[in-house]
Amino acid sequence: MNLFDSADFGALHLKNRIVMAPLTRLRAGERGVPNDLLVEHYRQRAGLGLIVTEGTWPVQEGRSYPGQPGIETDEQIAGWARVADAVHAAGGTIVMQLMHGGRVSHPEIAQTPRIVGPSAIAAPGQTHTATGKVDMPVPHALELDEMPEVIEGFVRAARNAVAAGLDGVEVHGANGYLVHEFLSPVSNTRTDIYGGSPENRARLAIEVTTAVAATIGGDRTGIRLSPQHNIQGVLEEDSDDVLATYSAVATGLAPLHLAFVDVLHPEPSGHLVRTIRSLAGAPLIANTGFQSPTGRADAIALVADDVADAVGVGRAAIANPDLAARWEHDLELNEPRPHLFYGDGAEGYTDYPALAELPAV
Ligand SMILES: Cc1cc2nc3c(=O)[nH]c(=O)nc-3n(C[C@H](O)[C@H](O)[C@H](O)COP(=O)(O)O)c2cc1C
């Protein structure tokens, strides 16, 4: 396959196999409502085969960062409808990453009395609130009878995303947030059916994705996983346990006939990711993680060698609104400006020029 060929992942049509990876940018204001800037940012990137939005909270309690958007209120749904309309008008396809932050939050950020996690174990380090840096708080360990409401929060959010006109959703099961916190035996020390064995730790990921797929269709549903990312205290250091846990996840997902599985791992051609791909039986979007920004040659090779069906691209998509055209014709690239990744305003967000806008040389 060719990176620049189109693909159909379930009900999602991708005009090429370059996927805009989910990218948190924190420009949605206090109420978490997509504004003109977000509309423009995503519209500019509609040339990518698929846009996965920034991590978006399904419920207030799951908000990890100030400025992060939500998909809970009417105002947020209306804001996302404007984003979806703009992307569709520009010929793109867009799904929403549903991100419950779990213990990576703070009551001052979420503006809720508590934050939640699998176990009463704080994430390491500190987080930024409006009033400065604070230690990560100890979360409320979700009670067994609270689990259905957590799942229902994802379901409502998926319904809201589709009502807003997005083409589907990606359950965020990666990077140390709630679903991932359940997967690791370090952040999840529960002794009930959601903890202990690999199958039990895999349960929430499967239940959330199953419930979402039952609501909007498996062909509009994906999930992101990041085994062995070892981030935010969600450690997965025993490779046998990792293989067992993610095999359980992928086996549980198989009946859903998902649109895609999006895996962040430095070795997408290795045994672990190949196992996830084949057990889940869904198209694989591969992303090699943070070590170095995804480049053109690697992306082309991943698809050409059938390691992946598509490639998730983060930083190059931030800096190049017309990345697909630039890569296809092997043209020069804008450099990302990392100090502007998170923050306010258009600078470093919607002001990266498309090549057609560059002065002729
Ligand atoms: C500014 C920034 C924000 C990110 N936000 C998210 C996010 O909201 N959800 C997520 O799953 N990954 C997030 N990531 C990870 C990216 O999706 C991607 O995996 C990472 O940037 C590595 O890909 P790259 O080398 O192409 O940049 C973020 C990365 C960056 C640089």
Short mmCIF file of all heavy atoms in Angstrom, two decimals, residues 21-25 54-55 97 172 175 224 264 287 289-290 292-294 312-315 318 341-342, ligand 1:
data_model
loop_
_atom_site.label_atom_id
_atom_site.label_comp_id
_atom_site.label_asym_id
_atom_site.label_seq_id
_atom_site.Cartn_x
_atom_site.Cartn_y
_atom_site.Cartn_z
N ALA A 21 -2.65 12.99 14.32
CA ALA A 21 -2.72 12.39 15.65
C ALA A 21 -3.44 13.35 16.59
O ALA A 21 -3.45 14.56 16.36
CB ALA A 21 -1.31 12.10 16.16
N PRO A 22 -4.03 12.83 17.65
CA PRO A 22 -4.69 13.71 18.61
C PRO A 22 -3.67 14.64 19.27
O PRO A 22 -2.62 14.18 19.74
CB PRO A 22 -5.30 12.74 19.62
CG PRO A 22 -4.57 11.45 19.44
CD PRO A 22 -4.13 11.41 18.02
N LEU A 23 -3.98 15.93 19.31
CA LEU A 23 -3.02 16.92 19.78
C LEU A 23 -3.70 17.96 20.66
O LEU A 23 -4.44 18.82 20.17
CB LEU A 23 -2.35 17.61 18.58
CG LEU A 23 -1.47 16.67 17.74
CD1 LEU A 23 -1.29 17.20 16.32
CD2 LEU A 23 -0.12 16.46 18.42
N THR A 24 -3.46 17.87 21.95
CA THR A 24 -3.99 18.82 22.92
C THR A 24 -3.33 20.17 22.75
O THR A 24 -2.10 20.26 22.70
CB THR A 24 -3.74 18.26 24.34
OG1 THR A 24 -4.60 17.14 24.52
CG2 THR A 24 -4.00 19.28 25.42
N ARG A 25 -4.11 21.23 22.63
CA ARG A 25 -3.54 22.56 22.39
C ARG A 25 -4.06 23.63 23.36
O ARG A 25 -3.61 24.78 23.32
CB ARG A 25 -3.78 22.97 20.93
CG ARG A 25 -3.34 21.95 19.88
CD ARG A 25 -1.85 21.64 19.93
NE ARG A 25 -1.07 22.84 19.74
CZ ARG A 25 -0.78 23.38 18.55
NH1 ARG A 25 -1.21 22.81 17.46
NH2 ARG A 25 -0.07 24.50 18.47
N GLU A 54 -8.00 16.68 19.34
CA GLU A 54 -7.35 16.70 20.64
C GLU A 54 -8.21 15.96 21.67
O GLU A 54 -9.44 15.87 21.52
CB GLU A 54 -7.18 18.15 21.07
CG GLU A 54 -8.50 18.91 21.26
CD GLU A 54 -8.33 20.40 21.01
OE1 GLU A 54 -7.88 21.11 21.93
OE2 GLU A 54 -8.66 20.84 19.89
N GLY A 55 -7.59 15.47 22.71
CA GLY A 55 -8.31 14.78 23.77
C GLY A 55 -9.40 15.69 24.34
O GLY A 55 -9.13 16.80 24.78
N GLN A 97 -11.32 12.39 19.78
CA GLN A 97 -10.71 11.58 20.83
C GLN A 97 -11.42 11.87 22.16
O GLN A 97 -11.41 13.00 22.64
CB GLN A 97 -9.22 11.86 21.00
CG GLN A 97 -8.60 10.89 22.02
CD GLN A 97 -7.12 11.07 22.25
OE1 GLN A 97 -6.68 12.15 22.63
NE2 GLN A 97 -6.34 10.02 22.05
N HIS A 172 -9.81 7.22 24.19
CA HIS A 172 -8.42 7.42 24.60
C HIS A 172 -8.06 6.38 25.65
O HIS A 172 -8.42 6.51 26.81
CB HIS A 172 -8.24 8.82 25.15
CG HIS A 172 -6.81 9.27 25.23
ND1 HIS A 172 -5.74 8.41 25.09
CD2 HIS A 172 -6.25 10.50 25.42
CE1 HIS A 172 -4.60 9.09 25.20
NE2 HIS A 172 -4.89 10.37 25.41
N ASN A 175 -1.53 6.87 27.10
CA ASN A 175 -0.82 8.03 27.65
C ASN A 175 -1.09 8.35 29.11
O ASN A 175 -0.95 9.51 29.54
CB ASN A 175 -1.07 9.28 26.78
CG ASN A 175 -0.56 9.09 25.36
OD1 ASN A 175 0.04 8.05 25.05
ND2 ASN A 175 -0.80 10.05 24.50
N ARG A 224 -7.32 4.32 21.06
CA ARG A 224 -5.87 4.53 21.08
C ARG A 224 -5.26 3.81 22.28
O ARG A 224 -5.79 3.91 23.40
CB ARG A 224 -5.53 6.01 21.15
CG ARG A 224 -4.04 6.25 20.96
CD ARG A 224 -3.68 7.70 20.78
NE ARG A 224 -2.75 7.85 19.67
CZ ARG A 224 -1.81 8.78 19.59
NH1 ARG A 224 -1.68 9.69 20.54
NH2 ARG A 224 -1.00 8.83 18.56
N LEU A 264 0.32 3.71 19.78
CA LEU A 264 1.55 4.49 19.95
C LEU A 264 2.59 3.56 20.57
O LEU A 264 2.42 3.11 21.70
CB LEU A 264 1.23 5.68 20.86
CG LEU A 264 2.28 6.75 21.12
CD1 LEU A 264 1.59 8.02 21.63
CD2 LEU A 264 3.32 6.31 22.12
N ASN A 287 1.77 4.99 15.40
CA ASN A 287 2.51 6.21 15.73
C ASN A 287 3.69 5.77 16.58
O ASN A 287 3.51 5.01 17.53
CB ASN A 287 1.62 7.20 16.49
CG ASN A 287 2.36 8.47 16.91
OD1 ASN A 287 2.83 8.58 18.03
ND2 ASN A 287 2.51 9.40 15.98
N GLY A 289 5.60 7.40 18.60
CA GLY A 289 5.80 8.03 19.89
C GLY A 289 6.65 9.29 19.83
O GLY A 289 6.91 9.83 18.76
N PHE A 290 7.10 9.71 21.02
CA PHE A 290 7.65 11.06 21.16
C PHE A 290 9.14 11.17 20.86
O PHE A 290 9.66 12.27 20.79
CB PHE A 290 7.40 11.56 22.59
CG PHE A 290 5.98 11.93 22.85
CD1 PHE A 290 5.04 10.98 23.23
CD2 PHE A 290 5.56 13.25 22.71
CE1 PHE A 290 3.72 11.34 23.48
CE2 PHE A 290 4.25 13.62 22.95
CZ PHE A 290 3.33 12.66 23.33
N SER A 292 11.28 10.92 18.39
CA SER A 292 11.61 11.90 17.35
C SER A 292 10.36 12.08 16.49
O SER A 292 9.59 11.14 16.32
CB SER A 292 12.79 11.43 16.50
OG SER A 292 12.45 10.23 15.87
N PRO A 293 10.15 13.29 15.98
CA PRO A 293 8.92 13.54 15.23
C PRO A 293 8.80 12.61 14.02
O PRO A 293 9.80 12.33 13.34
CB PRO A 293 9.07 15.00 14.77
CG PRO A 293 10.07 15.60 15.69
CD PRO A 293 10.99 14.50 16.11
N THR A 294 7.59 12.11 13.78
CA THR A 294 7.35 11.24 12.63
C THR A 294 7.79 11.95 11.36
O THR A 294 7.41 13.10 11.12
CB THR A 294 5.85 10.92 12.52
OG1 THR A 294 5.41 10.45 13.79
CG2 THR A 294 5.58 9.88 11.45
N GLY A 312 -0.12 7.81 12.20
CA GLY A 312 -0.49 8.98 12.97
C GLY A 312 0.68 9.95 13.03
O GLY A 312 1.79 9.55 13.33
N VAL A 313 0.39 11.22 12.76
CA VAL A 313 1.44 12.23 12.71
C VAL A 313 1.06 13.39 13.61
O VAL A 313 -0.02 13.97 13.45
CB VAL A 313 1.65 12.74 11.27
CG1 VAL A 313 2.82 13.72 11.23
CG2 VAL A 313 1.91 11.58 10.33
N GLY A 314 1.94 13.72 14.54
CA GLY A 314 1.67 14.79 15.49
C GLY A 314 2.34 16.09 15.10
O GLY A 314 1.75 16.96 14.46
N ARG A 315 3.61 16.21 15.47
CA ARG A 315 4.27 17.52 15.36
C ARG A 315 4.36 18.04 13.94
O ARG A 315 4.19 19.25 13.71
CB ARG A 315 5.65 17.44 16.04
CG ARG A 315 5.50 17.41 17.56
CD ARG A 315 6.71 16.87 18.26
NE ARG A 315 6.85 15.42 18.10
CZ ARG A 315 7.75 14.68 18.73
NH1 ARG A 315 8.60 15.26 19.57
NH2 ARG A 315 7.81 13.38 18.55
N ILE A 318 1.14 19.64 13.20
CA ILE A 318 0.98 20.95 13.86
C ILE A 318 1.59 22.03 12.97
O ILE A 318 1.00 23.08 12.74
CB ILE A 318 1.69 20.95 15.24
CG1 ILE A 318 0.92 20.08 16.25
CG2 ILE A 318 1.87 22.38 15.76
CD1 ILE A 318 1.58 19.97 17.63
N PHE A 341 3.06 25.15 21.60
CA PHE A 341 2.13 24.01 21.49
C PHE A 341 0.91 24.24 22.39
O PHE A 341 -0.22 24.02 22.00
CB PHE A 341 2.81 22.70 21.90
CG PHE A 341 3.69 22.10 20.81
CD1 PHE A 341 4.44 20.96 21.08
CD2 PHE A 341 3.77 22.66 19.54
CE1 PHE A 341 5.24 20.38 20.11
CE2 PHE A 341 4.57 22.08 18.56
CZ PHE A 341 5.31 20.94 18.85
N TYR A 342 1.19 24.61 23.64
CA TYR A 342 0.10 24.83 24.60
C TYR A 342 0.00 26.32 24.86
O TYR A 342 1.01 26.96 25.09
CB TYR A 342 0.39 24.11 25.91
CG TYR A 342 0.69 22.64 25.72
CD1 TYR A 342 1.97 22.14 25.95
CD2 TYR A 342 -0.30 21.76 25.30
CE1 TYR A 342 2.25 20.80 25.77
CE2 TYR A 342 -0.03 20.40 25.12
CZ TYR A 342 1.26 19.94 25.36
OH TYR A 342 1.53 18.61 25.18
C1 LIG B 1 1.44 19.16 21.79
C2 LIG B 1 1.06 17.72 21.84
C3 LIG B 1 -0.19 17.37 22.33
C4 LIG B 1 -0.59 16.02 22.36
N1 LIG B 1 -1.86 15.70 22.78
C5 LIG B 1 -2.29 14.41 22.72
C6 LIG B 1 -3.65 14.08 23.02
O1 LIG B 1 -4.49 14.93 23.32
N2 LIG B 1 -4.00 12.76 22.94
C7 LIG B 1 -3.10 11.78 22.59
O2 LIG B 1 -3.47 10.60 22.53
N3 LIG B 1 -1.82 12.08 22.27
C8 LIG B 1 -1.40 13.37 22.31
N4 LIG B 1 -0.12 13.68 21.91
C9 LIG B 1 0.72 12.63 21.32
C10 LIG B 1 0.63 12.68 19.80
O3 LIG B 1 -0.65 12.24 19.35
C11 LIG B 1 1.72 11.81 19.12
O4 LIG B 1 1.57 10.49 19.57
C12 LIG B 1 3.13 12.31 19.43
O5 LIG B 1 3.22 13.69 19.14
C13 LIG B 1 4.22 11.57 18.62
O6 LIG B 1 3.99 11.72 17.23
P1 LIG B 1 4.94 12.70 16.32
O7 LIG B 1 6.32 12.20 16.47
O8 LIG B 1 4.41 12.56 14.93
O9 LIG B 1 4.78 14.09 16.88
C14 LIG B 1 0.29 15.01 21.91
C15 LIG B 1 1.56 15.38 21.45
C16 LIG B 1 1.95 16.70 21.40
C17 LIG B 1 3.31 17.07 20.83
#
